[in-house]
Structures are given as C-alpha cells and as structure tokens.
Amino acid sequence: MNSPAYDKELKKSGLIFLEDPYGVDIIERWNLLLDPLFNQRDGKRSYVNAKELLDLGILNDIFSPAFRNVLRAIMPDAVLYHCHVYEIDAHQTTSHIHQGSNLGWHRDEECMVKYEPDNYHFLSYFVYLTDVKEESGPFELAPFKPSQAAKRNMPTIKVLGKRGTAFIWNRAYRHRACPNTSDTRRRLLKLSFQHNSLTNDRIHLPEFKEVLNQVNNQDEYLAFLFGAKYPDNGSQHALPEEKPSAIIPMRSLVTNSMMDVTRVGLIKMNYLKPLYNRIKERLGKGAMEPQ
C-alpha cells in the first residue's frame, strides 16, 4: 500500500493497521528493556516516558526509516502530543478510563475544536507489546464519522492481536479501552501526533524538552517531532524527507464487534457532551486535560 492508500483509509474509517512494522525480535527486546522499569511501578496504570524510551534505545527503533516515511506521508508537519509506553492493570471490571454509563466510549475532548468530517488533525499510533485477546482490554473504535449519531449495536472494530500489532487511528473518532479482565497486565506503546500549528499543552513537558535537548543537531526528524519548530507554521516547517524505504503494508479493515452502551450513555454522547463543548468553546474555555 502506498501513502495515498493510508490517507484514504484514515479519512474513510478513522483507522489503519500496519503489517508487522518491527518484527518479533525487536518487540521482545523492548519488553526485556522495559520489564525492570515496570517492575518498580505499580498502580492501575503505569508509564515509561519519552526520555526513558530514548535512554533505553527504544525511541530510535520506533522511528524506523519506514515508519518515518509513513508518518510524513499522512501528516507532514506532525509533532508529538503523547509519547510513552504504559501498562493497564489486570482483573478489571470496567474500562480504566471514562467508566460509567458510556462503558468507556468517548471522544478525546481536545480534538473536537478542530474536527473536520473529511480530514484528520489528531492521530495516535498504538503498538501492542503484550498479546491482546478479547479479555485483555483491547482498544475498540467506531469506524463512522463522529457527526453520525452513536447507536447501540453499531458495528465497531475491536483490535485483537499478538504483541507487535500496530495501528494508527483518528483521535476524534469514538473509541474506548475494553476492561482488562485477564490475569495479565496489558502493555502498549502510545504515540499521538497533531499539526505543528495547533495548540499543544504537552510539547513543553520536561520529558519532551529533555529529549529535544539530546536529539537537537543530531536527528532533525526527531527534533521536529519534539517541538524544535513549535509553534511556527508554514511549508518550511515540516518533517524532513527521509531516504526511500520499504513500504509498510496496510492490513484490511474488518468490523468484528458492536457498540455496547446504555441508553443514558447514548444521551450523554449524542447530546449532552456536544452541548457542553459548544458552551465551553463560546466561553473561551480550554480543553480539559486528556485522560
């Protein structure tokens, strides 16, 4: 699949699968490097941040030549908003985020102001670092325009797969993390990207600044991602072109589940939440801190 195919599928359904961008050996090496850090951290959700990923050598693996070309093709001026690996606790009965009548279904609030039905401005890249089965807390997305009302039993994509499963998705779409009812903590890599010109309340995080200071003048591509040109805008401010590399194939899109949500949850998603955000926008209130 070439870059127009990535773009077309993202605009159509909000999600693309990348076919094995790293390989089993690299994923296993990442897990061996990450294990000592996660063994020191507990809680329902624990993190390894961007600076730690750089120090472990994982960050350079993530941004392989092939993935750099994919990202530049779909968002030429991308900068980071999230960059970490995190674990979700086992033995859960509800989603670890946005519990309640929505049963975890939500849209990322900071993405709503710039939403356009036929475009994307906020993307996330997930790579499963543990096997994710039905009971392991899989990511689930409704592959329909958010302007379309949510309905019970509307078809969804529940992403199941072995460690190494990788996908890019539009953060403006409705999505959720299913409860991890298994005996194993779920671990995944999460990167989020948005245009360099958009408001970014995370690009100045200390961990991002530490990475930028270390890669500046060494890796122009990574430096741009970590804010070297933020918040400048214009054609001269874009990810540098990389040498041609092998194209990462794109897997077919398949709906395999249905939206599970209560009547109250539908009212909240379709009416109350949009009204709340319109009022907040008129009042000039900033987006809430993303969960």
Side-chain angles (χ1 to χ4, degrees):
M1 296 286 183
N2 56 21
S3 58
Y6 298 136
D7 180 78
K8 180 180 179 181
E9 192 62 41
L10 273 172
K11 289 178 178 177
K12 175 186 175 184
S13 61
L15 185 149
I16 57 174
F17 292 99
L18 300 183
E19 187 69 56
D20 195 20
Y22 301 109
V24 174
D25 291 344
I26 288 180
I27 297 298
E28 287 307 305
R29 186 171 69 82
W30 292 358
N31 278 321
L32 288 172
L33 292 169
L34 291 164
D35 283 344
L37 295 181
F38 279 116
N39 289 340
Q40 299 169 5
R41 299 165 193 186
D42 54 17
K44 291 185 176 180
R45 184 166 175 156
S46 53
Y47 294 85
V48 171
N49 68 35
K51 179 58 166 60
E52 292 170 315
L53 294 176
L54 178 68
D55 292 342
L56 292 172
I58 293 174
L59 201 61
N60 288 325
D61 287 344
I62 294 168
F63 289 100
S64 66
F67 181 69
R68 291 181 185 222
N69 283 322
V70 169
L71 180 58
R72 193 181 191 282
I74 59 178
M75 188 175 283
D77 66 336
V79 291
L80 282 158
Y81 189 80
H82 297 120
C83 181
H84 52 250
V85 172
Y86 71 93
E87 282 191 351
I88 298 301
D89 205 0
H91 305 296
Q92 295 185 35
T93 57
T94 61
S95 172
H96 69 272
I97 185 170
H98 292 276
Q99 302 97 333
S101 57
N102 290 18
L103 302 183
W105 284 104
H106 66 283
R107 293 174 64 198
D108 289 345
E109 190 166 321
E110 69 275 14
C111 304
M112 295 183 189
V113 175
K114 188 63 177 175
Y115 170 70
E116 296 176 3
D118 298 316
N119 209 341
Y120 47 84
H121 303 288
F122 305 88
L123 298 173
S124 277
Y125 177 50
F126 280 10
V127 181
Y128 287 163
L129 301 185
T130 50
D131 296 345
V132 175
K133 303 177 182 179
E134 182 76 30
E135 66 274 15
S136 308
F139 173 83
E140 188 173 4
L141 179 134
F144 300 95
K145 306 290 185 187
S147 52
Q148 179 178 342
K151 300 177 182 179
R152 291 194 69 186
N153 297 327
M154 67 191 309
T156 63
I157 302 168
K158 188 177 288 186
V159 183
L160 309 174
K162 293 186 176 296
R163 59 195 69 189
T165 297
F167 51 100
I168 299 172
W169 56 279
N170 185 339
R171 294 180 60 220
Y173 277 51
R174 296 184 184 97
H175 59 279
R176 71 165 180 162
C178 299
N180 180 12
T181 61
S182 74
D183 297 330
T184 306
R185 290 175 69 89
R186 187 200 69 176
R187 181 184 295 180
L188 66 81
L189 165 71
K190 177 180 180 178
L191 307 178
S192 294
F193 305 98
Q194 62 184 53
H195 296 298
N196 190 55
S197 58
L198 297 177
T199 300
N200 190 329
D201 59 359
R202 302 180 65 83
I203 199 68
H204 298 303
L205 288 174
E207 66 192 75
F208 280 26
K209 285 298 185 183
E210 289 174 2
V211 173
L212 177 58
N213 290 337
Q214 193 162 330
V215 303
N216 219 1
N217 301 319
Q218 298 180 21
D219 188 328
E220 186 182 0
Y221 191 107
L222 279 184
F224 190 97
L225 285 175
F226 280 92
K229 301 292 184 179
Y230 179 81
D232 297 333
N233 193 20
S235 59
Q236 72 274 24
H237 297 303
L239 291 164
E241 292 191 42
E242 295 286 306
K243 295 180 180 179
S245 61
I247 294 175
I248 301 176
M250 189 174 72
R251 287 170 51 196
S252 299
L253 178 73
V254 178
T255 55
N256 59 356
S257 191
M258 293 184 293
M259 181 175 283
D260 181 17
V261 65
T262 67
R263 187 184 299 272
V264 173
L266 288 176
I267 293 172
K268 287 170 64 177
M269 282 197 291
N270 290 332
Y271 303 106
L272 298 183
K273 192 65 173 180
L275 175 62
Y276 165 76
N277 279 287
R278 285 196 297 271
I279 294 172
K280 192 173 68 170
E281 185 178 355
R282 288 188 178 185
L283 294 174
K285 302 294 185 181
M288 294 171 60
E289 178 69 11
Q291 300 295 312

